[in-house]
Amino acid sequence: MLSKLRTTAEEALAGVLTDGMTIAVGGFGLCGVPYDLIEVVRDSGVTGLTVVSNNMGVDGKGLGLLLENRQVTKVIASYVGENKLFAQQYLDKVLDVEFSPQGTLAERMRAGGAGIAAFYTRTGVGTPVAEGKPHAEFDGHAHVQERAIVADLALVHAHTADQAGNLTYRAAARNFNPLVATCGRVTVAEAEQLFEEFIDPGSVTTPGIYVSRLVVAHKRVKEIEQRTVRPRVTVEA
């Protein structure tokens, strides 16, 4: 078996990062985010990046680190509401933002991985999202054309991997990661656990054919984007 495992996140991204590249990143909020790999991108100092992700994390965490370092010039995302710096850079015209409905964004990445150049959807018709894009009618309804996304580099976070790069995800941390993994010309994954043997093929979510390099993620406290609690009610017997 040809191992795709690298010793460190720095080694996993060695020779890959360049100015002006497009990077697709998995995660939703602070869940399933490839934190180790993002920190290497930050420390590399590459600039002029286009980042494709559901969102840009929060201030000071996740992809928010790249915004703080002024490494990003364009973002393609569906949700931006938790990051004040993101909003400020957008309003200051420091950052170019392309909004994409969440399902459309997911399908654009899936299409990129499947070799589909573009597709038509009813989502966004009649809104600013559809302005300037080709339209067509199917079954009596207007549809807008959306282009696939193929990134220079894809970064994903998995729960379990084997040395061949087969990946599985845990619960909600699966989110955008499997789609991101398919759409990168080079895909680098970090995983919380490493299997010495092959993962059961029936349990694999992302086949190793999509993964170029792999690293075991550092153990860290799982971030919670918004914590909502209520007083515990004691019920007397």
Side-chain angles (χ1 to χ4, degrees):
M1 177 177 67
L2 178 62
S3 176
K4 298 178 181 180
L5 183 65
R6 300 294 188 271
T7 305
T8 64
E10 290 81 4
E11 183 184 347
L13 287 172
V16 175
L17 298 170
T18 60
D19 291 343
M21 72 187 313
T22 296
I23 305 179
V25 184
F28 188 103
L30 297 177
C31 180
V33 176
Y35 290 105
D36 288 6
L37 297 172
I38 290 171
E39 289 172 2
V40 173
V41 175
R42 177 200 60 189
D43 295 342
S44 74
V46 292
T47 59
L49 301 176
T50 295
V51 174
V52 183
S53 184
N54 175 67
N55 59 79
M56 290 296 289
V58 302
D59 296 274
K61 297 178 181 179
L63 288 170
L65 298 177
L66 304 186
L67 292 176
E68 287 185 352
N69 222 24
R70 293 296 181 98
Q71 293 172 269
V72 183
T73 57
K74 181 177 179 179
V75 174
I76 303 175
S78 64
Y79 177 68
V80 299
E82 302 300 328
N83 194 311
K84 294 178 181 178
L85 180 59
F86 187 1
Q88 191 60 55
Q89 289 187 2
Y90 173 59
L91 294 173
D92 292 343
K93 302 188 184 304
V94 173
L95 198 61
D96 181 19
V97 180
E98 178 184 334
F99 289 106
S100 182
Q102 191 167 98
T104 299
L105 181 62
E107 182 63 11
R108 290 177 68 187
M109 289 190 283
R110 191 202 68 82
I116 299 170
F119 59 91
Y120 281 92
T121 176
R122 291 175 65 183
T123 303
V125 172
T127 74
V129 167
E131 291 178 0
K133 297 177 182 177
H135 286 62
E137 185 175 302
F138 298 94
D139 301 322
H141 297 283
H143 290 63
V144 61
Q145 185 190 96
E146 295 284 356
R147 295 293 303 271
I149 292 173
V150 178
D152 300 306
L153 173 65
L155 305 179
V156 300
H157 179 93
H159 181 260
T160 306
D162 60 31
Q163 294 194 40
N166 298 305
L167 307 177
T168 66
Y169 307 90
R170 183 176 181 274
R174 174 170 175 165
N175 53 61
F176 277 78
N177 278 294
L179 301 168
V180 169
T182 68
C183 77
R185 292 186 177 94
V186 174
T187 294
V188 180
E190 63 176 57
E192 297 178 29
Q193 299 180 4
L194 179 69
F195 272 19
E196 293 300 324
E197 302 296 330
F198 287 112
I199 296 173
D200 180 350
S203 300
V204 171
T205 306
T206 296
I209 190 66
Y210 290 109
V211 178
S212 308
R213 301 177 186 178
L214 169 72
V215 66
V216 177
H218 287 109
K219 294 185 182 299
R220 60 176 76 210
V221 176
K222 305 259 186 205
E223 300 283 358
I224 298 176
E225 193 169 353
Q226 294 186 18
R227 187 187 299 272
T228 303
V229 298
R230 63 180 180 180
R232 183 181 297 276
V233 178
T234 302
V235 179
E236 296 182 1

